[in-house]
Every structure is written in C-alpha cells, then in structure tokens.
Amino acid sequence: KQFTSHKDPMLKKRDDFEDILEERRTSSDLRYALRCYTPVLYKGVTPCKTSVLKSMVLQSDQLHYVINQVSKESGRAADDVREEASAILEEMAHSLQLSTVRFFAFMLSKVFKTLFRSICVNEEGIQRLQQAIQEHPVVLLPSHRSYMDFLLMSYILYTYDVALPVIAAGMDFMGMKFVGEMLRMSGAFFIRRSFGGDKLYWSVFSEYVKTMLKNGYAPVEFFLEGTRSRTSKSLTPKLGLLNIVMDPFLKGEVFDVNVVPVSISYERILEESLYARELLGVPKPKESTSGLFKARKVLSEDYGSIHVYFGQPVSVRSLAEGRVNRCQFNLVPRHIPRRPSEEIQSFVNDSAYRLVRAQEENMVLKPWVLLASLLLQNHHQNRAAGQKPGMALDELTTQAVWLRDVSRQYGAFLHWPDHTSPSEVVSSGLSLHRALVRVCEGRVQLAVEQGVYLFEFLAVVVLSCASYRNQMLHVFVRPALLASAIHIASSNQKQEVFNSFSFLRNMFSSEFILCPGATVQDFEEACYLLVKTGVLQVTQQEVLVTERGHRTLAFLTSMLDPFLQGYQVVCRFLCEEDTETLTEKQFIPAVRKFIVNHLLAGRLRYAEVLSSDLQKNALAALQRLGAVRKIKGYVGFHHPCVPGWLD
Amino acid sequence: LLHCGSIPSQIMKWNGWGYSDSRFLFNKKGQAEFTGKRYRLSGMIIPGLKDWFEGTFGANLQHKTPPTPLLTNTAVPPATLNEAFVEEVKSTGIPFSHDAEDRVFRAHGHCLHEIFALREGKIGRVPDMVVWPSCHNDVVKIVQLACKHNVCLMPYGGGTSVSSALECPPEETRSIVSLDTSQMNRILWIDEKNLTAHVEAGIVGQDLERLLNESGYCTGHEPDSMEFSSLGGWVATRASGMKKNIYGNIEDLVVHIKMVTPQGVIEKSCQGPRMSTGPDIHHFIMGSEGTLGVVTEVTMKIRPMPEYQKYGSVVFPNFEQGVACLREVAKQRCAPASIRLMDNEQFKFGHALKPQVSSIFTSFLDGLKKFYITKFKGFDPNHLCVATLLFEGNREKVLQHEKQVYDIAAKFGGLAAGEDNGQRGYMLTFVIAYLRDLGMDYYVIGESFETSVPWDRVLDICRNVKARIIRECKDKGVQFPPLSTCRVTQTYDAGACVYFYFAFNYRGLSDPVHVYEQVEHAAREEILANGGSLSHHHGVGKLRKEWMRDTISNVGMGMLKSVKDYVDPNNIFGNRNLL
C-alpha cells in the first residue's frame, strides 16, 4: 500500500537524517570497533554457524532432487554430483566473522572520515528495519552507484546494532584473492556471473539464499540493478534474485517477506571519472589501475557527503495480494524446481520496477545536481549559438533557485540548505566539483582547457556532469516525455499527444525506469504534474501550453534532447553504414566512430551521446520495436536469470 | 402436541449450543462453573478459566453482553403457506406445524453469525412450515406433494451445521418446508453375519451408539457433534469421526443408502461390499448437502464393542516436533483410534479448563509433573504442545500399540504425560461449543473451521493461517489480540486434518459479526493459498460456495450441476447449498 503512486509529490513525507560520522570524529574508533554488538534477529533465532547452514542446504529436498536428476541425466554417480554441489557451495558461501566486521568497522571509520564530510542516515528508517527484521525475513535492496555501497551498508548496520546482512556479490571480486576472502568474512557470498544452463549451480545458489532467508538467520542483501550504474540512472532491474527471495512467500514457507529499498546518494561519486572513461571506452587513468584505495589522489580529495535513506519496508504479501494466485503451487511438490509461471514473472517484474522507483524516490539530490543540469544545457545551447563559453555566476544562481522550486514541486528529495544564501549554496557546490567546473571572470564553465581542444577530456567532463544531471531524471522523466510529446505531436489534440507520449515512452523504456504496461498511468501522472504547476491546461480534447509554462517546457525538452538526438544518430548510423556484417561486439566501436565524426563536423551537439550505455539502450530499443533484428548473436548473462531448463 | 424427535426441542437451547441445563457461567465469586449433570465437567468449578479468559481476550466480567432471553413471536416473519400443499399433507396424517418456535428452531445451524443474530433476537427468513415424517414412505409422500405444489423442501437432521446450510435462501419466494427427520430414528435390523445395521437416517449419533451398544455393537463413528447430529446429516455432508483410524469415515462405513428425490427413490440393488459398476452413485449422495433429496435409510457397518479403551497424552517440546511425530505415526500406519495434536495456545487453554483438584496430593503431583517437564526436561512452557491419544481394542493389543506409539513419540522428544490429560482433551471437544456461548456473554466471539492438507504443508499452513488471522484482526480494527490457535485432529497416509480456533473480544467494534466474517473469509483464502482443502468434513453449505468452482474446476461444477438438473429440475430441494 506504500506504493499507490503518490498523487501529490509535494505531500511526500520523508524522515530526517543523522550524521553517523559526527560521533566517529569525537570518540575512539577502536572502542567503536570493539564495542558490544548484539543485534536482534527474526523472532529471536540465534545466528547459525556457516557449517550448519551449508549442511542444511546440502540436505535440502530441493538439492536432493536436483542431484538425483543430474545424476540420472549425466550418468554420473550421485555422490559425485553431491561433491560438486558441495564444492559450489564452498565457493559461494559467506563466512561472516565478527572479528572481520570489527576490522572493517575500524578501517572504514578512518577511510570514511578522510573521504567524506558526513554520512547521513535516516534513523527512523533504521528503526523500521529493526522492527521488520524481528517480524519477517528481510531483504535489503540498496541502489548501486559505487563499490563502496555494500561496505557502507554493513558499516551503517553495525553502527546501529542491526543484524548484518549477507550480500550477493559478483564472482569478479574473487579475482582479488585477499580482498575476496575479507569480503566473504564480512558477509559477502559469491555468485558466478553466468550459469545459464547449470541447474546444479542454480539449485545450490537458490537453496542457499532461501535457507538463509526462510530461517531468518540474516537479512539478505543484493543489488536489484545487478551492477553499478555508471550513469547514475537506475538500471532496468534484474529479476533472478528477486524471484528467489519471493519464492518462500509464494510457496507459503514463510508468512511474509519484507523488502526494504535503500537509496544511497553520493554527493560526489568516487568512481566519477572512471565511469565516464568506461562509457567512452578509453583506458582508465594510470593512478586508479592499482586499486581504489591505493590511489593517494582519491584519499586526499573531498567527496562531500553521503545520504543513505532506508525506505519503508514493503511486504511481499501485500504486493502479491490480488495479483498472484498462490494455489498454483498446490499440485506439484514445492521442492521440485519449476520455471515461474507467466503470472509470477510479470508480478516479479512489476514489483522490481516499483522497488527501483521506491529507491529513486528517496534519493537525495544535492544542489550541484541542479547546477550540472543547467550548466550542461547552457553548454550545448552556447555551442550552438557560438557564444562566449560558460554562464554568468549570478545567472546560474537565479536559474538554480528557479529549478530548485520547480523540482520540489515535482517531488524531488532536494537537500538545499535552508539558512544559507543561494549564492553560497551555488559556490559550495561548484567548489566541491572543481574537477568538472571552474569559475573564471565571474563565469562558470565546464573545466576544459581554453583553446586546447582536447576532445576526449571534454567528453569525460560532459559525461561526468551528465551523470549528476541523471540523478534528477527520475523526477522529471514523465513530464519531460510529455513535454517532448507535445513538441513533436502534430496538433494539440490530446489523443495525438498521448500517441507521441506513448511512442517516446516505449522507445525509452530501457533508458529510464518506466514500469511496463503503465503508459496510461504515466501519462496521467505527467499531465497532473504539469497542470498542477501551471504549465499546461488539459481539457477533454486538448493539451494547451500556458503563457508561463514555456520556460518549464523548454527546460524539460532540453533535458530529454540529448537522448532523442542520441537515438536518432544511432538510427542514422544503422541506415547509413553497412550493417550487413556488423556483429554485436563491433557495434559499439563502429557507432562511436560514427558519432565522433558527427561531433567533429558539428552535426551533433551532444558529446554525451558517446556514452556506450546510451548506444546499447538505443540498439535494444530498436530491437524491441522490431526495427533491428539480431540474427545470431552472442548473449551474455549479466545477472543470474531464471534458466530455461526449468521447464 | 408433537414430540420433536428423541431429544425434545424444549430441552435444547434455542439460541445457543446444546442442552438448556448445561452451560458455563461465572458464579458470584467470579469462578467459572459448568452447570447440569450430563458431562464429566458438569457441576464442577474451573478455577483457572477466569484468569485465562480475561488474560487471553482482555475481557472483563463487568462487561456483559447477555442474550435476548425469550423468543418474541412478533420478531418471526409470518408463514407463507401453500394452502393446497398443507391440505394434502393434512390428509396424509403426517404431523406438521407452523408454530413460530418450531420454525425458528429449524432455521439455523451453529455458525457464529446465526447464533449471534438469535441472541440479539434478530430473525431472518425462516421455514414456513415443519413436517415430521416417521418413515421412508412418509418422505416419499411429502416429496411427491412438494413437487406437485412446487414448494421448497429443506431437509433438517440434527441442526448442527456450521456452513450456513440451514439458512433459508432469502430470495426464495415459494413456501419453504423444513423436513425434520428426527422421527425416523429406529434401527430397523441388525445383521450379525455381515456386521451391518439398517438404520433410519434421522437417528442422532448418541442414540445410534447407545442402541447398538445394547446389542454389543457400535459403529465407531463419533464426530464431535455426535450428541446431536444425525446419520442422514453425516451422509449428506461427508462427515468424519474422531475414531476414523479404526472405523473409517462415513464413506467407509456406509454399505447402502436410500434417498428420496423428486425423480423417485435412488438406491443400489444389493449390498456387495464393493462394486465396479461405474461411478459410485453413493458419491453423488454423500456430500450433496440436501440439494438432491432426503436420505431416509442407511445400511452401515457395525463392529463388536471394543473390550478395552485407554486414553493417553504426550508432551512435545514444540509443535514442529509434534507434527513430525504424527507424520511418522501415519507413515508407520500405527495411528491409535484417535491422535490429536494441540498447539501451545490450545495446550494453555486446555490447562485453564482443569477442574478444581480434589486433593492436595493431586495438586502436588501436578506441580511435580510441571516441574519435571519445564525445569528438568527444559521444555519451554510457551512452546510445548501436547498430543492426546485414544487406544481401542483388546487389552493386550492396546498395551502393545501404546508402547509402539510412545516409542515413536520419544524419538521426537515426546514425553508421556498421562491418561488424565488425554481424557480431558477429548472431553473438551464436547464442551467447547458451550464455551463459545460463555464468551458471547462477555463480548467474545469465535468459531472453529477445518481443512485437510498434505503432510509437507501442515506446519506452513498452521503458521500462516494463524498469523493471517492475527493480521486481519489488527487490520479490521479489533482492539484486543485475538486467540488464534490450531490442532491437527486426524492423520492420513498423505496428509492431515487441521482445525483452527479463532476468537476475539469485540468491544469497540460497531459490527463485530461483519469483522468476524471478513477475518474468517481471509483465513479461508489463506488456507486455500497454502494448499489446504475447502473443507475436510464440515461441508460447503452456502458459507464456502464461492470457492467451489476453483476447488473442483469448471467441468466438475458442470458435472454436479447436470446431476442436480436431472434429479431435481424444479429445485424442490432449494436450500441452495454447494453449487
């Protein structure tokens, strides 16, 4: 019920934050790391030893069944298969140790105090989580923007004496031998990135997760987005693990499962330029290749503050109410793995979108996010008009104040300091991000060396700024789609506008978080917001722009414009280039080259179109819309998905 | 004046359960006692009940909700009589009545909403007339006349339905005639060679057993309602008895059935113990809930009375262990005549119902037992649960059987806890319905409902349904935590029968019955979602009709409908149960 779309975003109530570093700066880190830690578990169960947990998994009905099945199919001895299962489990399982946690608590205190000004947490959210853990098994779903995320999560939970989660991590960490083992001892368990056809692996994995969850030994934590978002936009949710954690409820093995979305917002992302380079396909700068923390530069810089918002726990039971007929599990023993029905798949998918939106809603936006948006728009408009680069500081401040008010009206969770003058707010934002912007003769401009046209460098700065702008996309995406729809529709007829809206929404559905099948709701939400803010008048038949609405509308369309242009240029590439022999692997380099040429020739304004993320999304959209067909492509799993053999 | 059956209705309550002389009350000292002389508990003081009652429900003896004392005739809607039908019935000489009291008495079963309304003096649609056939042929005549004059017939046996089966459909415009089978209560013959008895269907359980016992036999069919429920009712609802492990459920006990339908009489031509003659027509009759006709005579299996009976009980450290033990017992097919497992709440409830102990020695022994179990054995009083057992047969075999069961129990941490606890457990079965009336005097309403479920689902369904009840009560604004408890009452090869008890204090609610119904509805949804059946033995009636289609599939519904359409095209048996 928490989810019934907040009709009026202004009315959204959010908790206050508390800075957990404050105490760390005044009291002993060692004492903090060694203090008494006694979290309360689900219904008061006692924590379970790793060895006990493993044997529970190996003795489970499900695994027993699959081992026999695999043995029959492959002709291998059952004991042999069981050995393999046991080895998989060894490789996977966490081995949470309080001593390691204490070590991290100590180390991270030092590191965090150096890197960040504050780590702000909504304490009420922690209390809700504490309550939820006692009542039902809990799944933690943090957003994923940085490697930092899961250490940060465990650090916060340790601080508040909340049960430490076990965390699904990608196998790539295991490459770093020592780090991998340390993470394992702090609660991480490791899953291979791809195991599509391996039913034994799947079965060990799902049983392992379910055993921990069902018995309430520890909250299970994983990243719904599957991987770190390099663009700061939420990624299309992956469903594999969500399927697994919902299963015990759907099969009646637990009364309910509580899912807690957690929004982690970084004022300045540690991996900022790494991401931009990755998206551009350029080699990483030398100093960070030897690891994140070795880089002196990273440690000596100021990364501002982090806001962590623990959202309202979502009951899977209430999500499923009236949506899923749980009787479908009545006729087959529950331990026999089966592919989820279409009903379940669509339920899990919708839930995943709602949960990602819940993460987005509670993301704290810093004033810098507004500045980045304004500066980017200005940068592109100036380039077009051939004006003096940059933007006057006071002009930027005025616009920022305007945008502050607009974004609040649209429901943004904006952290704009109350008792500070706008110009101070602006300059403090600019100074934190001096790697990206500079103030020169009262004008603010992107930090690109004057005169020296370093194309690559410019692209890094633009993509970095875009990633901050992207943080507020979720606030504006529906109104922006409507604004663009009005722009491209041939008339003011509501139906006409709706059709354009629907087309754009469909096209951008891998780019932004747009719940599948919710076109009408999204359209209504967009209309509601734009009417409420006086931008539009919507009658039965027509959609009309008001006199004072033009400014907002122009802002909204410019926000979406780089994406529109990007998709267009990908289309042009596909039309103009010889794509007969284009393999999926060659696509990105080829389209990148094409775009660079367009940019250099001045036929394209937006350097951010160089983002490989956008290019991939555009290709996916074209494929989905039937414009492009994959003949025989290599398909990689990026997240455990439900494998096909379960049929 | 008429005699209504072997139990004249005057000695029964009109707005509560059972005999008028037997009821729980809190005496002037605030102690609970059970009146009358009929039960083991009768005339006894139950010291622990008050504290348990107040503690569990947050009830208060100062806050009373007494029922409307007398039935006022003005509250009863006037009878709509079909004059021509009445005239012809009169000419047959079959007794009938349209007295308000007789009609109201047969207008309800024992669902909470039915009793609650009666206590408030609210009377809805009631039968317009009651007829008392005294034999099969009387029934044939009545059914013929009903068809001829298009009146609606509703068979009435013991009136113990808990599925709204006896509620008159409010939309029924024809005259409704309640066909009371209570006068058809004879054992027509006993066949000692084949061990069968041919019995009229109106006989109630306790009379049937008593009369057979006189000849040294029994049927062994003992549903909890056996004091009042009738043979015809058992057949019509697919009843189950406590001792089904030895004697079987009604479908196993029945050899031959005679039923009068609008199309005529249906029966088999012989009494062969098993037949391969297409689908068994008995299975159209059993569970038909009065929608097809009236069961008039039944041939049932009988057994020599057991020479020895022994109660027993086992305490388990927790419910999970208890269920695991019952499962093992079922697996080894060594279940005693009855084996039931109560959860912790019910264990406490049972404990609260202990009558005042007569000697210091007994109370000392009780104290010692308690000490042994909780302190020495380390059982947590808030988790332990108890299984009650009943063994039957010859003495030697019973003792052997007993040992076998206790040995299995020991493997699951079970400790033998004495005959007395076992016997009290079974006695509770018969008085629990009286307790509901006591609750209703003090703002507490409740009900029980049942299901059957595969073994691997038993624990899940118990946990989830109990939790759902608590959650729904909270959501619906119930001010006090409800009593939400369960027990496993029957074991089968492939599953078990589970009973849920649910009660709450409704102070502060404007429409408690509605809240109650919403919670029960949600609980049933939860049962179905957890792989439980719509009913193990209570039947569908009108209360659970909405789930029938999902339960038996569209084709299944069509099959049953087409049987109804053929047998009773004019819906003479118009109680609208089941379909």
Side-chain angles (χ1 to χ4, degrees), chain A residues 259-280:
Chain A
V259 185
V260 181
V262 183
S263 317
I264 308 176
S265 355
Y266 295 90
E267 186 167 16
R268 206 182 143 203
I269 296 170
L270 287 151
E271 294 101 322
E272 175 183 274
S273 69
L274 282 180
Y275 288 160
R277 282 164 199 278
E278 210 176 304
L279 291 170
L280 289 167

Side-chain angles (χ1 to χ4, degrees), chain B residues 233-391:
Chain B
W234 300 338
V235 171
T237 56
R238 295 180 64 86
S240 168
M242 178 180 96
K243 299 194 288 195
K244 72 95 194 157
N245 292 337
I246 295 184
Y247 301 96
N249 286 317
I250 196 70
E251 66 273 20
D252 311 306
L253 285 164
V254 156
V255 176
H256 184 269
I257 305 172
K258 201 189 264 185
M259 179 167 80
V260 181
T261 78
Q263 288 284 19
V265 175
I266 176 172
E267 64 179 321
K268 291 183 187 174
S269 66
C270 68
Q271 307 203 54
R274 183 182 186 277
M275 298 184 207
S276 174
T277 49
D280 191 338
I281 55 164
H282 283 171
H283 286 282
F284 288 114
I285 298 169
M286 284 187 288
S288 59
E289 302 192 358
T291 59
L292 298 178
V294 189
V295 177
T296 54
E297 290 170 16
V298 178
T299 307
M300 263 183 113
K301 297 180 196 169
I302 56 172
R303 300 288 306 164
M305 284 171 69
E307 73 178 56
Y308 187 63
Q309 264 198 342
K310 191 171 182 191
Y311 289 97
S313 64
V314 182
V315 182
F316 292 97
N318 55 47
F319 191 64
E320 289 75 10
Q321 295 280 69
V323 171
C325 173
L326 261 62
R327 204 280 160 265
E328 185 60 29
V329 166
K331 197 188 240 171
Q332 296 192 21
R333 290 200 171 163
C334 64
S338 168
I339 178 165
R340 289 177 171 176
L341 178 75
M342 304 186 223
D343 69 0
N344 182 260
E345 288 82 5
Q346 239 174 79
F347 163 76
K348 287 177 180 163
F349 176 32
H351 211 70
L353 281 171
K354 258 189 173 171
Q356 202 156 33
V357 284
S358 38
S359 75
I360 300 174
F361 183 66
T362 336
S363 87
F364 172 73
L365 267 185
D366 281 348
L368 211 61
K369 262 188 251 164
K370 195 176 158 190
F371 176 82
Y372 177 71
I373 288 173
T374 59
K375 296 290 184 303
F376 190 71
K377 280 288 173 182
F379 285 17
D380 179 347
N382 290 315
H383 284 123
L384 62 81
C385 73
V386 63
T388 59
L389 311 166
L390 172 61
F391 298 91

